[in-house]
Amino acid sequence: MAQINDDFTDRFDLREFTPGTDADGAPDERTAAWLEAVAMGFHESTGSPENAARMASYFVADHETFLGVYVRQPLPGSVDETWPAGTFTWFRKPLSWGDGSSVDTQAISAVTVRPTERRRGILRAMMMHALTRGVEEGYAMASLTASEGTIYRRFGFGSAIRERAVSVRRNRALPFLAPTTGTVTVVPLAWLADGVGKDVFARFHERTPGSMVRNTGTWPVVFGEFTGNGEKAKDVRAAVHRADGSDVVDGYVTWRVKQDGKDTAVEVVDLVYATDAAYLSLWEFLLSIDLNDVVKYNRSRLDDPIVTALGDNRAYDVDHEEDHVWLRVLDVPATLRSRPYAVDGSIVLEVSDSLGFAAGTYRLDVASGVGTVTRVSDAPDVSLDVADLGALLLGSVSPVTLAAAGLLRAAEPAVAVRLRAMLLPARTPHGITYF
Ligand SMILES: CC(C)(COP(=O)(O)OP(=O)(O)OC[C@H]1O[C@@H](n2cnc3c(N)ncnc32)[C@H](O)[C@@H]1OP(=O)(O)O)[C@@H](O)C(=O)NCCC(=O)NCCS
């Protein structure tokens, strides 16, 4: 396993700590300095003292573990005297398999390295420390969302789910090909935030492969209380869906209206659905709001049913597509045992892992949809890197596609097809959580 070298430890001190607040709720000194370093890394600001206190309270509520890498001999006057040069955090985040079961992941976030100290191994040291701790804490896998696509594969992470920013033009979208059902009503944000919205999310999470439980700090943003920058939001509205004859809210949307070049755009802030009917109805509602040209949604899944539902499928344009959640398997048996399978069968997987955590050959036996995993020394049916195992897990990336990309080697082509069938999820994976 990779080790931190002497040059690194001569220059830097890696410290793990729990974020804290003082008696007034303000971040303690160490936490405040860490927040400043993260804000610099992402070109953001910690904002007002109230905002910094709020952020610290979210980190405390989520039981985060912080890492800071400190320069041992800071030059006088530099921020290195108090701020860490590298930041990193992890916390528990369940990932849903979409059948009511889930697996806890070691969710990694706030990864930054100060420009003056980059490419000296700070990221590598923080990642190795964190993953080793993740194994100690019993996590089957780690997860993250990335700011760039080339950073994390070397650490064994594979992109397991993608997302699309889309625009749907109103003038060609309606009517839908099939009638929607249920009732949509506009509601005050405070009413949505008072339990109803989180209940809908809990039901969405349970039935949606790839969904991840949200950070405490996400809710005030999606419920239109604050902007992502911590300022008071003033322009967000909300609507909910109920099935015909039911009082129970089974979907909600929050949105704002913005000028986007020549277009007036309805920009979706959050769209959460516990049923497919709610998803369609809420889209129909968004597309029926007058005095705008286009609905913009940044969380569209691949194979989004809205495309098929639209009166004219060409009303849907993909503005951008990229990786969303990356998964890193730490414990192959625990990971493969935790998920459901669509088809029974047996496959021997040879997993390579340059960091050592998951390397080995494993036989997966699935009977009645339940997997058991045994370490074996048999000849493998498929060989792949741990990053590609992570990519396959949700069933959004196909083993057949990975074989075509030269990343998965199958003893015979039929094995990749069999593995694809076994991993097929009940619904299209959809991730609407950022961390
Ligand atoms: C990305 C970042 C964290 C890298 O930190 P770092 O301390 O310079 O990285 P290290 O020196 O530990 O490098 C580790 C490895 O990653 C590679 N690497 C680092 N940054 C990379 C990048 N942006 N793209 C591709 N590879 C990168 C290094 O070449 C090195 O590879 P090797 O070990 O195979 O030789 C840092 O540049 C940064 O803070 N960027 C801005 C914030 C950001 O993007 N954070 C990521 C949030 S998800």
Side-chain angles (χ1 to χ4, degrees):
M1 211 168 275
Q3 296 293 328
I4 300 173
N5 63 30
D6 290 343
D7 285 353
F8 182 89
T9 40
D10 284 351
R11 187 176 177 89
F12 300 116
D13 181 19
L14 189 155
R15 293 180 213 150
E16 178 184 319
F17 63 98
T18 307
T21 48
D22 64 19
D24 302 325
D28 61 32
E29 218 173 302
R30 196 167 50 167
T31 303
W34 188 94
L35 289 174
E36 291 293 351
V38 174
M40 180 169 172
F42 291 118
H43 313 306
E44 289 166 357
S45 145
T46 53
S48 62
E50 294 74 30
N51 189 51
R54 216 169 29 242
M55 282 163 65
S57 76
Y58 299 150
F59 297 135
V60 171
D62 289 341
H63 302 287
E64 303 208 10
T65 302
F66 282 5
L67 293 183
V69 170
Y70 297 82
V71 177
R72 286 188 188 277
Q73 288 175 319
L75 288 171
S78 78
V79 292
D80 295 331
E81 289 184 332
T82 47
W83 296 10
T87 63
F88 196 108
T89 176
W90 76 83
F91 47 106
R92 189 181 78 89
K93 189 174 281 296
L95 164 74
S96 173
W97 295 121
D99 67 337
S101 70
S102 67
V103 61
D104 283 351
T105 70
Q106 180 189 21
I108 289 169
S109 185
V111 178
T112 72
V113 174
R114 186 144 47 257
T116 49
E117 304 300 328
R118 62 204 274 281
R119 304 300 183 267
R120 295 181 197 268
I122 292 184
L123 169 62
R124 181 165 285 276
M126 294 191 296
M127 186 63 84
M128 287 308 298
H129 178 94
L131 295 181
T132 304
R133 293 279 289 108
V135 171
E136 285 166 14
E137 291 178 8
Y139 285 107
M141 60 173 131
S143 61
L144 54 78
T145 57
S147 60
E148 292 175 36
T150 51
I151 305 174
Y152 294 106
R153 185 180 169 90
R154 65 174 50 74
F155 301 115
F157 288 83
S159 165
I161 188 166
R162 297 179 69 75
E163 62 175 3
R164 288 179 169 166
V166 304
S167 301
V168 181
R169 299 213 74 84
R170 284 188 65 216
N171 58 359
R172 293 186 280 125
L174 297 178
F176 284 171
L177 296 181
T180 55
T181 56
T183 310
V184 174
T185 44
V186 173
V187 296
L189 287 162
W191 185 82
L192 183 67
D194 189 20
V196 176
K198 285 186 184 176
D199 281 353
V200 174
F201 182 86
R203 278 178 284 144
F204 163 85
H205 178 75
E206 211 175 288
R207 75 188 286 272
T208 307
S211 168
M212 302 191 78
V213 166
R214 286 178 158 173
N215 295 16
T216 303
T218 300
W219 296 112
V221 176
V222 297
F223 293 149
E225 204 183 335
F226 293 102
T227 67
N229 301 329
E231 285 151 23
K232 272 266 180 228
K234 298 187 189 87
D235 51 356
V236 178
R237 313 229 174 243
V240 300
H241 178 269
R242 292 178 175 89
D244 291 322
S246 170
D247 288 340
V248 180
V249 172
D250 62 4
Y252 75 82
V253 62
T254 54
W255 77 93
R256 56 166 61 88
V257 178
K258 271 195 158 173
Q259 202 57 37
D260 184 44
K262 277 190 287 177
D263 286 332
T264 305
V266 166
E267 198 181 86
V268 175
V269 176
D270 199 23
L271 175 48
V272 185
Y273 52 98
T275 65
D276 293 333
Y279 185 71
L280 280 192
S281 266
L282 289 167
W283 259 106
E284 183 181 54
F285 162 73
L286 291 166
L287 289 162
S288 67
I289 300 174
D290 284 329
L291 304 179
N292 73 85
D293 307 292
V294 64
V295 177
K296 290 193 159 280
Y297 179 47
N298 288 344
R299 310 277 180 263
S300 180
R301 70 201 115 149
L302 302 186
D303 203 16
D304 190 331
I306 193 67
V307 182
T308 321
L310 289 170
D312 177 355
N313 74 84
R314 295 189 186 186
Y316 174 97
D317 278 320
V318 177
D319 301 325
H320 181 71
E321 180 185 321
E322 68 178 29
D323 51 276
H324 176 34
V325 170
W326 295 63
L327 296 177
R328 203 281 181 223
V329 177
L330 293 168
D331 180 335
V332 176
T335 297
L336 293 180
R337 273 198 305 264
S338 72
R339 61 153 291 157
Y341 294 88
V343 171
D344 290 354
S346 290
I347 286 200
V348 176
L349 302 147
E350 181 186 47
V351 181
S352 52
D353 181 353
S354 63
L355 303 187
F357 296 106
T361 305
Y362 307 86
R363 195 181 65 238
L364 167 66
D365 295 302
V366 177
S368 306
V370 177
T372 49
V373 183
T374 324
R375 258 186 193 270
V376 292
S377 48
D378 306 1
D381 298 312
V382 297
S383 305
L384 75 181
D385 188 79
V386 64
D388 298 312
L389 179 63
L392 289 179
L393 284 174
L394 290 171
S396 186
V397 176
S398 158
V400 178
T401 308
L402 285 189
L407 295 168
L408 177 147
R409 289 158 305 287
E412 43 180 303
V415 181
V417 177
R418 178 150 44 99
L419 185 57
R420 179 177 64 181
M422 291 166 77
L423 296 172
L424 192 73
R427 288 180 200 89
T428 305
H430 196 186
I432 56 171
T433 291
Y434 282 76
F435 59 98

